């Protein structure tokens, strides 16, 4: 499980606008997305909150996550690390690709 966590932690460190303190023992990562709030999507609309970001990631990257506001922690999003290393690597690559399409504020 530590390797799976590390896949996510290492990937987030390379994605502009996202940050993450390595989770201790949870099977999820609570990722700070404050750096992409206010960014413009390729369609010209603006990401105004964590719900918008999670929707964008689902539509653009086909990666499901939960907005932190569902847990009272905004602007974060929750990503499960209870998946295969291969799927986590693919998910993080897809998230990076879709974030790189944003015009950061």
């Amino acid at each position: 499980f530590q390797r799976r966590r590390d896949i996510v932690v290492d990937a987030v460190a390379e994605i502009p606008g996202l940050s993450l303190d390595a989770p201790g023992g949870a099977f999820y990562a609570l990722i700070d997305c404050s750096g992409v709030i206010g960014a413009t999507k390729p369609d010209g609309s603006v990401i105004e909150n964590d719900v918008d970001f999670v929707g964008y990631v689902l539509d653009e990257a086909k990666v499901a996550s939960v907005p932190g506001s569902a847990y009272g922690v905004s602007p974060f999003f929750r990503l499960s690390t209870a998946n295969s290393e291969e799927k986590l690597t693919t998910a993080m690559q897809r998230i990076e690709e879709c974030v790189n399409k944003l015009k950061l504020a």
Side-chain angles (χ1 to χ4, degrees):
F1 289 109
Q2 184 173 341
R3 282 194 311 269
R4 294 173 188 174
R5 179 202 69 181
D6 291 346
I7 288 169
V8 173
V9 170
D10 293 346
V12 168
E14 300 299 320
I15 302 173
L18 302 184
S19 63
L20 170 63
D21 290 329
F27 294 101
Y28 62 87
L30 199 56
I31 303 168
D32 182 349
C33 61
S34 60
V36 297
I37 304 302
T40 304
K41 298 187 282 185
D43 69 3
S45 62
V46 175
I47 294 176
E48 299 202 14
N49 52 44
D50 55 338
V51 174
D52 287 351
F53 181 70
V54 165
Y56 171 67
V57 168
L58 180 60
D59 292 343
E60 187 73 27
K62 307 299 184 222
V63 175
S65 59
V66 180
S69 56
Y71 303 98
V73 187
S74 182
F76 288 79
F77 68 102
R78 182 174 163 162
L79 184 71
S80 173
T81 57
N83 213 318
S84 72
E85 292 177 29
E86 179 183 341
K87 287 185 179 182
L88 286 170
T89 298
T90 299
M92 297 311 299
Q93 288 170 342
R94 289 179 179 179
I95 291 171
E96 182 174 19
E97 289 169 5
C98 80
V99 168
N100 285 336
K101 292 178 183 178
L102 295 172
K103 182 177 179 187
L104 299 178

